[in-house]
């Protein structure tokens, strides 16, 4: 709701507004009970300057990220330089210190008028929350999770604050609400806090059981997002980079001039955290060349989804005769036709051994460095000749095109599935943020809720092409001309889309709660209860509603009244069962069924 | 700078763009010239009008031309001013802003070592709204206090209602929750451009400090200290943050930098944290020694400030009320109509914390009717030098200088409040003995119908008792408490459960375990922390309110405050001005309050300081800013502006980077604090 309209005007147009959930529930008698911890996601948290180069004069403790972004327009190159991290270490470059804003202001509004947590905070305040029992666990979302502890001691700070809030609220456990990448960050935290001291927080094996009542994951990319692959590969994913995906409209092309993509890419490639969202679980989860769990998904939203996919489910995976079947398992394909071919007909040339070197003569774009220049023509060609990549081989692709970045990231993140969770190597922190390579803590009273929006087409796979002018552009680009000729319009502008919240596919957000952790599994040895709460997307009914009170989109869902009500009830003491257990609109259970994973 | 450059470009373009409109048609050669460099275009601008006058008929001088010319002129002048400003600051040595101390010390090799905790004082911390009455719609999580105060001007009464606390409990009134802003933003700037901590923070950042090793212990400064824990758990949070920073920074003890009232708040914390759980934080007897390296008290109000008396009695000190002293121009009478003082008083009297600033230690510290430790203080700075010299000569001969009546017009600072100028000067023998009786019960309630909206407790006092208050003529630090009990019974009743203002006879008495004594340095022992250091850092050399001359307000129905400072009382010696006697200090806190504990009360091993914590006095002599560019001054000694004092910042940085008090050079004293403390006769 634009604040400029007085309430009586809007009520005259739309009829009386529904009470915000906070007011409604306060009338029902709900009171603040459990302290609440927010964990913001990537991009939405503010970053401010503590030390900078000459060109950043006068920006001390001003926001470089978040807020008005005025500085991008004034001094774009200086801005990009400061936002980048060191390419070798993934930490601060010399002479530059950018730190997360702390406190609730860190992520209540991303930009003026663009709320992230503000609506939720306001509603929590209605039932009696205030600064002392609400805590925003702001962290530097650019660096890898373990590095936030190494550099800023952020994990220790979160631990200490949770302990403090539990102590000052009379022993009430906290309700944690992570959003987006914050979900993975908190997963990492839960392992860290119980791990012994040098690498972990030394909280002991029942820390989570003693301090956490529930983890309410909002739009959690547990198994990664395909968007991040496109973001890393070519700094584009319909909208530029992962960064832009979460904050549409703020990073405009013209700011950096013609070389936007390269600048953004060079910047985002120094951010280790983007690698935490590369699809995990490989072909087992995301599908191989010939099948995918979402097979049979009907993209046209007009038709009732259930009929068709029901049939697909009965036929199993082998339903290849159907022309509308989309091979979601092929995450990247070169050329539109390739994506639809049967795997046996593909001719692929292995790129892994291909020659690198044979440098492109880059005289025209000298100041924009990126690793593609090290790859040479041969390498680029080899990549394209391989034709198709699944979630598993996409990792090899990334290793090939961005070796430095992946080497750095490989030390902090892992994307596989554990065979034996008791293996000692899984005590290393790089596995902690991958739900398929860690056990949940031993906390049988804890609850895990996966809350996410559904009903919005979400990027799932891409059709790529060679970029026409390889000197000045990244050599690959999404083939925006690739359109599906037939009715099922899953392919649009070179992107195959599937059900989700616009950023995270349903599969990634829901699988762990639907199957991976449901009941007592090897990933969830203590049998923590899990619930799925889906929120079907309904676009705002009119302009006055702003970003909608029933939205299911990745960030806008934070203003969804149903979601807020769920959170308020849990914070006031309800359990997942009291909320009504699972609430599912998508086919998540069917899709999870198809995934063949040892539990 | 970028915006200036862009603006400059725009300015140059405007005249050029305008020129075709104005003279293209009739003046071809001129039009050709316009392709010249921008500078010549600017020159043309200045030539133009004469050309016009000669050649043009007045009727052709159209409106649009005028507009263009005016815009052109304005832009050109603006540009010239900016240009010269830039050139001057860069080139003239006198105008050059010196390098910030942080950058200099960094080059010396100082780096962040000990975590730093900042404790803001009264008034300077921001307050924001969490729940309010309908009139405060749309202010959720907006600052009611601090920031730009826009809302105070828009809806003053609503705001004052929200800033008030409950008159009975001293906590939130029902339906209103106003909370302290958290984080460094709480008190870095009080209002836009009016820095409080920002300078210090910036300089700390230069040697490597950042969010993880710098913490602003913001608290709701309206509440009594113990209530911040009861309502907000602020003390617990502070304890936990200090412990956290201690651990995450490689077990380096913290350096605490409290300011103004924050000083006694932190004193309270030191006792609280070691006290056992139900009332205290249960940190154990060596918590302070383990976690705190040094306390660098800025402008410490250890023994209270006389200003607090003035603000409680009549909501005015020299500058209206304590609040206004810190935020000049805020409570201008226009906002609140005629009853500014009454409103300010009503709100201020619900704030328990103000009571913590009343003078402590009674006549022993602040002096009695005839005597005061500051005796002989000369207010005129020129005379001072000569007199100081002679005084020190005298002292050599005269061991009992306190009784020396050689200076005729000795100011009787001991009389904190006196009614009438005469009463402030008379020798005490001419007073009738104190016949101070509380007669408040017989309230005839002086019919405040016409101005019923503004309630102050004075309405409940009878005229009779008001008159009797004035008849008592003079009050010392001790009797002034009785006076306050009479005129503000509710406030004092509430607050005396939270604060105490006496001097302890026996510090081991179990009653001193109660929290109300914790913020009074004269009624508590310092913690057992021999490795800790305590600094008293304060400005000196500014006239500071020390005692007041009052008069009865001419009876006016709507001015319900019966006393006011007698603004006409000016003394022959320049200590008395506008009804206020001034002493040495930092404009808010007299040196005696700021320095006594460090100079004598805690110096060495005393009963207030059983473990012999080292104390240091660092005074900063006030110098007014030499040029406009310096803003509020790099060598200021005034209460808040001292936070921008270069020498002060350097001291804090050095200690934070590991130096000890001896490393700084020990005491640095400009005022007479040592001599004054000497005169105070207190059992140590």
């Amino acid at each position: 709701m634009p604040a400029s309209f007085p309430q009586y005007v809007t009520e005259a147009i739309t009829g009386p507004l529904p009470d915000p959930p906070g007011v409604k529930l306060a009338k029902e008698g709900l009171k603040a009970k459990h302290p609440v911890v927010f964990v913001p996601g990537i991009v939405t948290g503010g970053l401010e300057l503590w030390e900078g180069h000459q060109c950043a004069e006068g920006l001390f403790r001003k926001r470089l990220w978040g807020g008005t972004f005025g500085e991008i327009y004034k001094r774009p190159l200086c801005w990009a330089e400061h936002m980048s991290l060191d390419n070798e270490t993934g930490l601060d470059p010399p002479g530059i210190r950018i730190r997360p804003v702390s406190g609730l202001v860190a992520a209540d509004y991303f930009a003026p008028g663009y709320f992230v947590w503000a609506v939720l905070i306001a509603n929590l305040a209605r039932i009696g929350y205030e600064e002392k029992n609400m805590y925003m666990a702001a962290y530097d979302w650019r660096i890898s999770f373990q590095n936030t502890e190494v550099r800023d001691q952020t994990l220790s700070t979160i631990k200490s604050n949770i302990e403090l809030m539990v102590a000052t609220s009379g022993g009430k456990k906290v309700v944690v609400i992570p959003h987006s990448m914050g979900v993975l960050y908190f997963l990492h935290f839960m392992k860290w806090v119980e791990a012994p001291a040098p690498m972990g927080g030394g909280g002991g094996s029942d820390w989570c059981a003693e301090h956490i009542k529930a983890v309410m994951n909002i739009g959690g990319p547990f198994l990664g997002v395909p968007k991040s692959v496109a973001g890393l590969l070519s700094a584009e994913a319909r909208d530029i980079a992962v960064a832009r995906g979460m904050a549409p409209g703020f990073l405009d092309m013209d700011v950096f001039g013609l070389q936007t993509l390269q600048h953004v890419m060079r910047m985002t490639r120094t951010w280790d955290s983007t690698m935490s969202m590369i699809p995990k679980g490989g072909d087992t989860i995301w599908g191989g060349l010939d099948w995918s769990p979402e097979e049979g998904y009907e993209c046209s939203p007009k038709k009732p989804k259930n009929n068709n996919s029901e049939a697909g489910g009965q036929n199993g995976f082998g339903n290849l005769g159907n022309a509308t079947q989309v091979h979601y398992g092929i995450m990247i394909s070169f050329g539109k036709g390739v994506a639809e071919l049967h795997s046996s007909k593909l001719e692929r040339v292995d790129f892994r051994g291909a020659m690198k070197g044979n440098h492109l003569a880059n005289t025209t774009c000298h100041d924009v460095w990126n690793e593609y220049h090290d790859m040479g023509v041969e390498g680029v060609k080899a990549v394209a000749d391989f034709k198709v990549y699944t979630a598993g081989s996409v990792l090899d692709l990334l290793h090939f095109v961005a070796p430095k970045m992946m080497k750095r990231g490989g030390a902090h993140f892992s994307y596989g599935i554990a065979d034996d969770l008791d293996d000692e190597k899984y005590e290393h922190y790089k596995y902690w943020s991958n739900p398929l390579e860690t056990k949940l803590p031993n906390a049988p009273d804890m609850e895990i809720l996966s809350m996410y929006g559904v009903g919005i087409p979400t990027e799932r796979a891409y059709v790529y092409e060679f970029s026409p002018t390889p000197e000045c552009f990244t050599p690959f680009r999404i083939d925006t001309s690739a359109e599906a000729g037939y009715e099922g319009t899953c392919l649009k502008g070179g992107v195959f889309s599937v059900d989700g919240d616009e950023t995270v596919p349903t599969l990634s957000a829901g699988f762990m709660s639907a199957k991976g952790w449901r009941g007592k599994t090897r990933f969830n040895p203590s049998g923590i209860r899990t619930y799925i709460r889906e929120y079907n997307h309904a676009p705002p009914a009119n302009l006055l509603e702003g970003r909608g009170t029933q939205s299911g989109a990745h960030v806008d869902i934070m203003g969804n009244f149903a979601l807020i009500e769920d959170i308020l009830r849990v914070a006031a003491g309800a359990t997942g069962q009291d909320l009504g257990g699972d609430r599912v609109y998508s086919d998540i259970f069917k899709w999870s069924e198809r995934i063949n994973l040892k539990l | 700078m970028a915006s200036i450059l862009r603006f400059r470009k725009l300015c140059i373009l405007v005249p050029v763009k305008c020129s075709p409109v104005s003279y293209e048609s009739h003046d071809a050669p001129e039009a050709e010239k316009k392709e010249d460099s921008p500078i010549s275009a600017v020159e043309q601008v200045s030539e133009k009008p004469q050309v016009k006058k000669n050649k043009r008929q007045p009727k052709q001088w159209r409106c649009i031309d005028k507009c263009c010319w005016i815009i052109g002129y304005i832009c050109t002048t603006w540009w010239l001013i900016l240009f010269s400003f830039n050139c001057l600051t860069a080139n003239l040595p006198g105008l050059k802003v010196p390098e910030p101390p942080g950058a200099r010390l960094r080059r010396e090799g100082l780096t962040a070592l000990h975590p730093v905790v900042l404790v803001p004082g009264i008034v300077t911390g921001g307050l924001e709204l969490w729940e309010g009455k309908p009139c405060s719609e749309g202010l959720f999580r907006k600052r009611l206090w601090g920031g730009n105060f826009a809302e105070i001007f828009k809806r003053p009464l609503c705001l004052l209602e929200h800033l008030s606390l409950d008159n009975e409990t001293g906590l939130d009134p029902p339906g209103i929750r106003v909370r302290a802003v958290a984080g460094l933003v709480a008190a870095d700037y009080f209002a836009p451009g009016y820095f409080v901590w920002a300078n210090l923070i910036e300089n700390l950042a230069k040697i490597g400090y950042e969010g993880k090793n710098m913490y602003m212990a913001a608290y709701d400064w309206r509440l009594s200290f113990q209530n911040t824990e009861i309502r907000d758990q602020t003390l617990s949070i502070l304890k936990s943050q200090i412990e956290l920073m201690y651990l995450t920074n490689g077990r380096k003890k913290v350096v605490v930098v409290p300011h103004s009232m924050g000083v006694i708040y932190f004193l309270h914390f030191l006792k609280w944290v070691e006290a056992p759980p139900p009332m205290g934080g249960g940190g154990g007897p060596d918590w302070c020694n383990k976690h705190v390296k040094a306390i660098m008290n800025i402008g410490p109000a250890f023994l209270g400030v006389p200003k607090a008396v003035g603000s409680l009695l009549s909501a005015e000190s020299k500058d209206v009320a304590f609040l206004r002293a810190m935020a000049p121009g805020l409570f201008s009478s226009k906002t609140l109509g005629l009853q500014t003082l009454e409103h300010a008083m009503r709100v201020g009297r619900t704030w328990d914390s103000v009571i913590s600033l009343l003078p402590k230690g009674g006549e022993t510290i602040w002096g009695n009717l005839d005597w005061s430790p500051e005796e002989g203080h000369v207010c005129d700075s020129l005379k001072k030098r000569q007199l100081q010299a002679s005084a020190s000569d005298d002292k050599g001969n005269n061991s009992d200088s306190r009784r020396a009546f050689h200076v005729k017009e000795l100011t009787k600072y001991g009389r904190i409040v006196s009614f009438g100028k005469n009463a402030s000067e008379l020798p005490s023998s001419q007073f009738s003995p104190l016949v101070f009786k509380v007669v408040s019960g017989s309230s005839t309630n002086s019919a405040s119908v016409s101005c019923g909206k503004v309630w102050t407790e004075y309405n409940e006092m009878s005229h009779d008792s008001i008159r009797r208050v004035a008849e008592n003529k003079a009050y010392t630090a001790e009797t002034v408490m009785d006076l306050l009990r009479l005129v503000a019974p509710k406030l004092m009743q509430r607050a005396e459960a939270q604060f105490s203002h006496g001097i302890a006879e026996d510090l081991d008495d179990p009653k001193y375990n109660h929290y109300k004594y914790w913020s009074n340095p004269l009624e508590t022992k310092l913690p057992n922390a021999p490795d800790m250091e305590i600094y008293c850092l304060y400005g000196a050399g500014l006239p500071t309110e020390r005692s007041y001359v009052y008069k009865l307000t001419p009876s006016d129905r709507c001015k319900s405050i019966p006393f006011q400072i007698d603004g006409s009382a000016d003394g022959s010696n320049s200590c008395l001005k506008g009804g206020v006697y001034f002493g040495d200090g930092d404009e808010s806190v007299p040196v005696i309050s700021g320095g006594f504990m460090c100079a004598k009360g805690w110096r060495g091993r005393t009963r207030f300081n059983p473990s012999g914590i080292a104390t240091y006095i660092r005074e900063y002599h006030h110098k007014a800013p030499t040029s406009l560019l310096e803003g509020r001054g790099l060598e200021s000694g005034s209460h808040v502006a001292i936070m921008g004092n270069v020498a002060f910042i350097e001291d804090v940085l050095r200690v934070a980077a590991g130096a000890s008090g001896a490393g700084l050079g020990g005491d640095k004293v400009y005022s007479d604090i040592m001599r004054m403390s000497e005169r105070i006769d207190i059992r140590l």
Side-chain angles (χ1 to χ4, degrees), chain A residues 38-85:
Chain A
F38 307 116
V39 188
I42 195 170
V43 176
T44 46
L47 298 174
E48 59 188 15
L49 182 79
W50 279 85
E51 184 182 344
H53 289 163
Q54 201 67 40
C55 69
E57 174 108 14
L59 293 180
F60 176 70
R61 284 184 62 225
K62 297 269 187 317
R63 284 195 184 201
L64 289 194
W65 188 268
T68 56
F69 282 101
E71 295 309 321
I72 301 189
Y73 295 96
K74 280 191 213 146
R75 26 194 156 174
L77 288 178
C78 177
W79 179 83
E81 181 193 347
H82 280 80
M83 286 298 297
S84 302
L85 294 168

Side-chain angles (χ1 to χ4, degrees), chain A residues 70-105:
Chain A
E71 295 309 321
I72 301 189
Y73 295 96
K74 280 191 213 146
R75 26 194 156 174
L77 288 178
C78 177
W79 179 83
E81 181 193 347
H82 280 80
M83 286 298 297
S84 302
L85 294 168
D86 190 287
N87 203 36
E88 302 289 331
T89 62
L91 293 169
D92 290 328
I96 293 178
R97 279 186 292 152
I98 302 264
R99 294 291 179 265
V101 179
S102 66
L104 292 177
V105 285

Side-chain angles (χ1 to χ4, degrees), chain A residues 240-252:
Chain A
I240 299 172
V242 197
R244 216 183 134 183
M246 313 254 176
F250 285 109
L251 293 171
D252 275 331

Side-chain angles (χ1 to χ4, degrees), chain A residues 50-51 60-61 97 99 104 108 122 125 128-132 134 151 153 156 160-161 164 168, chain B residues 106 128 130 140-141 177 179 184 188 202 205 208-210 212 214 231 233 236-237 240-241 244 248:
Chain A
W50 279 85
E51 184 182 344
F60 176 70
R61 284 184 62 225
R97 279 186 292 152
R99 294 291 179 265
L104 292 177
D108 54 350
Y129 280 91
E130 52 193 64
E131 198 99 27
K132 71 172 171 183
M134 263 195 290
R151 196 192 71 182
Q153 283 84 42
S156 300
S160 151
N161 271 299
L164 171 70
T168 55
Chain B
R106 183 189 195 151
E128 60 188 12
W130 279 86
F140 176 69
R141 286 185 58 223
R177 281 186 291 153
R179 295 289 179 267
L184 290 177
D188 53 350
E202 188 162 354
Y209 280 92
E210 56 194 52
K212 69 173 175 186
M214 189 159 36
R231 198 192 70 182
Q233 281 84 45
S236 300
I237 293 172
S240 145
Q241 288 292 342
L244 171 70
T248 55

Side-chain angles (χ1 to χ4, degrees), chain A residues 394-407:
Chain A
V394 132
L395 280 175
D396 297 327
L397 171 63
L398 287 173
H399 272 294
F400 187 72
V401 302
K404 270 192 192 157
M405 176 190 78
M406 290 305 286
K407 198 173 139 220

Side-chain angles (χ1 to χ4, degrees), chain B residues 225 260-261 263-265 267-268 301-306 309 353-367 416 477-478 480-481 498-503 516-523 592-593 596-597 680 682:
Chain B
F225 302 157
S260 186
M261 191 180 81
V263 167
I264 42 183
Y265 186 72
L267 209 59
H268 185 96
F302 279 122
L303 303 177
V305 285
V309 177
S353 59
V354 181
I355 303 298
S356 72
L357 292 171
L358 286 178
K360 289 166 192 162
E363 297 182 359
T364 317
I365 301 289
W366 295 94
I416 285 194
E478 241 164 86
V480 92
M481 299 297 286
Q498 306 283 352
F499 299 106
S500 168
H501 299 89
I503 299 180
K516 78 173 185 174
Y517 300 104
W518 289 346
S519 60
N520 182 353
L522 298 173
E523 288 180 307
I592 195 77
S593 173
F596 173 72
M597 289 317 289
I680 291 174
I682 190 169

Side-chain angles (χ1 to χ4, degrees), chain A residues 14 144 147 151 164 167 175 405 564 575 599:
Chain A
T14 62
S144 78
N147 273 346
R151 196 192 71 182
L164 171 70
V175 171
M405 176 190 78
I564 292 173
T575 63
L599 291 176

Side-chain angles (χ1 to χ4, degrees), chain B residues 92-106:
Chain B
L92 286 188
L95 287 170
K96 204 169 185 178
V97 177
E99 192 182 27
R104 183 160 48 81
L105 292 176
R106 183 189 195 151

